[in-house]
Short mmCIF file of all heavy atoms in Angstrom, two decimals:
data_model
loop_
_atom_site.label_atom_id
_atom_site.label_comp_id
_atom_site.label_asym_id
_atom_site.label_seq_id
_atom_site.Cartn_x
_atom_site.Cartn_y
_atom_site.Cartn_z
N LEU A 53 -40.28 -26.57 -56.08
CA LEU A 53 -38.86 -26.25 -56.00
C LEU A 53 -38.52 -25.61 -54.66
O LEU A 53 -37.51 -25.96 -54.03
CB LEU A 53 -38.47 -25.32 -57.15
CG LEU A 53 -37.01 -24.96 -57.27
CD1 LEU A 53 -36.14 -26.21 -57.44
CD2 LEU A 53 -36.80 -24.02 -58.44
N ASP A 54 -39.35 -24.72 -54.18
CA ASP A 54 -39.13 -24.11 -52.86
C ASP A 54 -39.15 -25.17 -51.76
O ASP A 54 -38.40 -25.07 -50.79
CB ASP A 54 -40.17 -23.04 -52.57
CG ASP A 54 -39.96 -21.77 -53.38
OD1 ASP A 54 -38.84 -21.56 -53.89
OD2 ASP A 54 -40.93 -21.00 -53.52
N SER A 55 -40.01 -26.18 -51.90
CA SER A 55 -40.06 -27.27 -50.92
C SER A 55 -38.76 -28.04 -50.89
O SER A 55 -38.28 -28.44 -49.82
CB SER A 55 -41.21 -28.22 -51.23
OG SER A 55 -42.44 -27.58 -51.06
N VAL A 56 -38.17 -28.26 -52.06
CA VAL A 56 -36.88 -28.96 -52.12
C VAL A 56 -35.80 -28.11 -51.45
O VAL A 56 -34.98 -28.62 -50.69
CB VAL A 56 -36.49 -29.29 -53.58
CG1 VAL A 56 -35.06 -29.82 -53.66
CG2 VAL A 56 -37.46 -30.30 -54.17
N ILE A 57 -35.81 -26.81 -51.71
CA ILE A 57 -34.80 -25.92 -51.13
C ILE A 57 -34.90 -25.94 -49.60
O ILE A 57 -33.89 -26.00 -48.91
CB ILE A 57 -34.96 -24.49 -51.68
CG1 ILE A 57 -34.59 -24.47 -53.17
CG2 ILE A 57 -34.10 -23.50 -50.89
CD1 ILE A 57 -34.95 -23.18 -53.89
N ALA A 58 -36.11 -25.93 -49.06
CA ALA A 58 -36.30 -25.89 -47.60
C ALA A 58 -36.12 -27.26 -46.94
O ALA A 58 -35.88 -27.33 -45.73
CB ALA A 58 -37.70 -25.37 -47.29
N TRP A 59 -36.20 -28.33 -47.70
CA TRP A 59 -36.15 -29.70 -47.18
C TRP A 59 -34.79 -30.02 -46.56
O TRP A 59 -33.75 -29.62 -47.06
CB TRP A 59 -36.44 -30.64 -48.34
CG TRP A 59 -36.42 -32.08 -48.04
CD1 TRP A 59 -37.01 -32.74 -47.02
CD2 TRP A 59 -35.76 -33.10 -48.81
NE1 TRP A 59 -36.79 -34.08 -47.11
CE2 TRP A 59 -36.02 -34.33 -48.21
CE3 TRP A 59 -35.00 -33.07 -49.97
CZ2 TRP A 59 -35.54 -35.53 -48.70
CZ3 TRP A 59 -34.52 -34.26 -50.47
CH2 TRP A 59 -34.79 -35.47 -49.84
N LYS A 60 -34.79 -30.74 -45.45
CA LYS A 60 -33.57 -31.18 -44.79
C LYS A 60 -33.45 -32.70 -44.98
O LYS A 60 -34.10 -33.46 -44.26
CB LYS A 60 -33.62 -30.84 -43.31
CG LYS A 60 -33.85 -29.36 -43.06
CD LYS A 60 -32.83 -28.81 -42.13
CE LYS A 60 -33.05 -27.37 -41.81
NZ LYS A 60 -32.81 -26.46 -42.88
N PRO A 61 -32.66 -33.13 -45.95
CA PRO A 61 -32.53 -34.57 -46.19
C PRO A 61 -31.96 -35.30 -44.99
O PRO A 61 -31.17 -34.75 -44.23
CB PRO A 61 -31.58 -34.65 -47.39
CG PRO A 61 -30.97 -33.32 -47.54
CD PRO A 61 -31.81 -32.34 -46.81
N GLN A 62 -32.40 -36.55 -44.81
CA GLN A 62 -31.98 -37.35 -43.66
C GLN A 62 -30.93 -38.40 -43.99
O GLN A 62 -30.37 -39.01 -43.08
CB GLN A 62 -33.21 -38.04 -43.05
CG GLN A 62 -34.27 -37.06 -42.57
CD GLN A 62 -33.72 -36.08 -41.54
OE1 GLN A 62 -33.13 -36.50 -40.55
NE2 GLN A 62 -33.88 -34.79 -41.79
N THR A 63 -30.66 -38.63 -45.27
CA THR A 63 -29.67 -39.63 -45.68
C THR A 63 -28.77 -39.04 -46.76
O THR A 63 -29.16 -38.07 -47.43
CB THR A 63 -30.35 -40.90 -46.25
OG1 THR A 63 -31.00 -40.56 -47.48
CG2 THR A 63 -31.34 -41.50 -45.26
N PRO A 64 -27.58 -39.61 -46.95
CA PRO A 64 -26.73 -39.14 -48.04
C PRO A 64 -27.39 -39.27 -49.41
O PRO A 64 -27.19 -38.41 -50.27
CB PRO A 64 -25.50 -40.05 -47.94
CG PRO A 64 -25.45 -40.47 -46.51
CD PRO A 64 -26.90 -40.60 -46.10
N GLU A 65 -28.20 -40.30 -49.61
CA GLU A 65 -28.87 -40.47 -50.89
C GLU A 65 -29.87 -39.35 -51.13
O GLU A 65 -29.97 -38.82 -52.24
CB GLU A 65 -29.59 -41.83 -50.94
CG GLU A 65 -28.65 -43.01 -51.00
CD GLU A 65 -28.08 -43.41 -49.64
OE1 GLU A 65 -28.59 -42.95 -48.59
OE2 GLU A 65 -27.09 -44.17 -49.62
N GLN A 66 -30.60 -38.98 -50.08
CA GLN A 66 -31.54 -37.86 -50.21
C GLN A 66 -30.79 -36.56 -50.48
O GLN A 66 -31.25 -35.72 -51.27
CB GLN A 66 -32.39 -37.73 -48.95
CG GLN A 66 -33.38 -38.84 -48.77
CD GLN A 66 -34.13 -38.73 -47.44
OE1 GLN A 66 -33.69 -38.04 -46.52
NE2 GLN A 66 -35.25 -39.41 -47.35
N PHE A 67 -29.63 -36.39 -49.83
CA PHE A 67 -28.82 -35.20 -50.08
C PHE A 67 -28.40 -35.14 -51.55
O PHE A 67 -28.45 -34.09 -52.18
CB PHE A 67 -27.58 -35.18 -49.18
CG PHE A 67 -26.66 -34.04 -49.51
CD1 PHE A 67 -26.94 -32.76 -49.07
CD2 PHE A 67 -25.54 -34.25 -50.29
CE1 PHE A 67 -26.11 -31.70 -49.39
CE2 PHE A 67 -24.69 -33.20 -50.61
CZ PHE A 67 -24.98 -31.92 -50.16
N MET A 68 -27.97 -36.28 -52.10
CA MET A 68 -27.56 -36.30 -53.51
C MET A 68 -28.73 -35.94 -54.42
O MET A 68 -28.55 -35.23 -55.42
CB MET A 68 -26.98 -37.66 -53.89
CG MET A 68 -25.59 -37.89 -53.33
SD MET A 68 -24.80 -39.37 -53.96
CE MET A 68 -25.78 -40.63 -53.18
N GLN A 69 -29.92 -36.41 -54.10
CA GLN A 69 -31.09 -36.07 -54.90
C GLN A 69 -31.35 -34.56 -54.85
O GLN A 69 -31.60 -33.93 -55.88
CB GLN A 69 -32.31 -36.84 -54.40
CG GLN A 69 -32.21 -38.32 -54.67
CD GLN A 69 -33.29 -39.10 -53.96
OE1 GLN A 69 -33.91 -38.61 -53.00
NE2 GLN A 69 -33.52 -40.31 -54.41
N LYS A 70 -31.28 -33.99 -53.65
CA LYS A 70 -31.48 -32.55 -53.52
C LYS A 70 -30.40 -31.78 -54.27
O LYS A 70 -30.69 -30.82 -55.00
CB LYS A 70 -31.46 -32.16 -52.03
CG LYS A 70 -31.65 -30.68 -51.79
CD LYS A 70 -31.68 -30.34 -50.31
CE LYS A 70 -31.86 -28.86 -50.07
NZ LYS A 70 -31.99 -28.53 -48.64
N PHE A 71 -29.17 -32.22 -54.13
CA PHE A 71 -28.04 -31.57 -54.81
C PHE A 71 -28.25 -31.57 -56.32
O PHE A 71 -28.07 -30.55 -56.98
CB PHE A 71 -26.75 -32.31 -54.44
CG PHE A 71 -25.53 -31.73 -55.08
CD1 PHE A 71 -24.86 -30.68 -54.47
CD2 PHE A 71 -25.04 -32.23 -56.26
CE1 PHE A 71 -23.73 -30.14 -55.04
CE2 PHE A 71 -23.91 -31.70 -56.85
CZ PHE A 71 -23.25 -30.65 -56.24
N LEU A 72 -28.63 -32.70 -56.87
CA LEU A 72 -28.85 -32.79 -58.31
C LEU A 72 -29.96 -31.88 -58.78
O LEU A 72 -29.83 -31.21 -59.81
CB LEU A 72 -29.15 -34.23 -58.73
CG LEU A 72 -27.95 -35.14 -58.84
CD1 LEU A 72 -28.40 -36.55 -59.21
CD2 LEU A 72 -26.96 -34.63 -59.87
N VAL A 73 -31.06 -31.84 -58.05
CA VAL A 73 -32.17 -30.97 -58.44
C VAL A 73 -31.71 -29.52 -58.45
O VAL A 73 -31.93 -28.79 -59.41
CB VAL A 73 -33.38 -31.16 -57.51
CG1 VAL A 73 -34.37 -30.01 -57.64
CG2 VAL A 73 -34.06 -32.49 -57.79
N LEU A 74 -31.06 -29.09 -57.38
CA LEU A 74 -30.70 -27.69 -57.26
C LEU A 74 -29.56 -27.27 -58.18
O LEU A 74 -29.51 -26.13 -58.61
CB LEU A 74 -30.36 -27.36 -55.80
CG LEU A 74 -31.53 -27.52 -54.83
CD1 LEU A 74 -31.08 -27.17 -53.42
CD2 LEU A 74 -32.72 -26.70 -55.25
N CYS A 75 -28.64 -28.17 -58.47
CA CYS A 75 -27.52 -27.81 -59.33
C CYS A 75 -27.79 -28.08 -60.80
O CYS A 75 -27.17 -27.47 -61.66
CB CYS A 75 -26.27 -28.56 -58.90
SG CYS A 75 -25.65 -27.99 -57.32
N ASP A 76 -28.72 -28.95 -61.10
CA ASP A 76 -28.98 -29.29 -62.49
C ASP A 76 -30.13 -28.47 -63.07
O ASP A 76 -30.05 -28.01 -64.19
CB ASP A 76 -29.29 -30.78 -62.63
CG ASP A 76 -29.37 -31.21 -64.07
OD1 ASP A 76 -28.48 -30.82 -64.86
OD2 ASP A 76 -30.32 -31.93 -64.43
N ASP A 77 -31.18 -28.28 -62.32
CA ASP A 77 -32.34 -27.58 -62.85
C ASP A 77 -32.13 -26.07 -62.78
O ASP A 77 -32.11 -25.48 -61.71
CB ASP A 77 -33.60 -27.95 -62.07
CG ASP A 77 -34.84 -27.53 -62.82
OD1 ASP A 77 -35.19 -26.35 -62.73
OD2 ASP A 77 -35.42 -28.38 -63.51
N ARG A 78 -31.95 -25.46 -63.88
CA ARG A 78 -31.71 -24.02 -64.02
C ARG A 78 -30.48 -23.57 -63.24
O ARG A 78 -30.35 -22.40 -62.92
CB ARG A 78 -32.95 -23.23 -63.61
CG ARG A 78 -34.12 -23.52 -64.52
CD ARG A 78 -35.26 -22.61 -64.29
NE ARG A 78 -35.72 -22.63 -62.92
CZ ARG A 78 -36.55 -21.75 -62.40
NH1 ARG A 78 -37.02 -20.79 -63.15
NH2 ARG A 78 -36.94 -21.84 -61.15
N ASP A 79 -29.60 -24.48 -62.92
CA ASP A 79 -28.33 -24.16 -62.25
C ASP A 79 -28.52 -23.24 -61.04
O ASP A 79 -28.00 -22.15 -60.97
CB ASP A 79 -27.35 -23.55 -63.25
CG ASP A 79 -25.92 -23.60 -62.73
OD1 ASP A 79 -25.61 -24.49 -61.92
OD2 ASP A 79 -25.11 -22.75 -63.14
N LEU A 80 -29.30 -23.71 -60.08
CA LEU A 80 -29.62 -22.92 -58.89
C LEU A 80 -28.49 -23.01 -57.87
O LEU A 80 -28.61 -23.64 -56.83
CB LEU A 80 -30.93 -23.40 -58.27
CG LEU A 80 -32.16 -23.25 -59.15
CD1 LEU A 80 -33.34 -23.97 -58.52
CD2 LEU A 80 -32.48 -21.80 -59.38
N THR A 81 -27.39 -22.37 -58.16
CA THR A 81 -26.24 -22.47 -57.27
C THR A 81 -25.86 -21.11 -56.68
O THR A 81 -24.70 -20.82 -56.50
CB THR A 81 -25.03 -23.08 -58.01
OG1 THR A 81 -24.78 -22.31 -59.19
CG2 THR A 81 -25.27 -24.52 -58.36
N GLY A 82 -26.85 -20.30 -56.38
CA GLY A 82 -26.59 -19.01 -55.74
C GLY A 82 -26.06 -19.21 -54.33
O GLY A 82 -26.10 -20.30 -53.77
#
Side-chain angles (χ1 to χ4, degrees):
L53 184 58
D54 287 341
S55 294
V56 171
I57 292 169
W59 179 48
K60 304 232 182 291
Q62 300 302 307
T63 67
E65 291 80 14
Q66 290 175 342
F67 175 79
M68 286 189 290
Q69 291 169 342
K70 179 178 180 176
F71 180 86
L72 281 178
V73 164
L74 297 180
C75 291
D76 189 46
D77 195 279
R78 297 189 303 168
D79 197 27
L80 297 171
T81 54

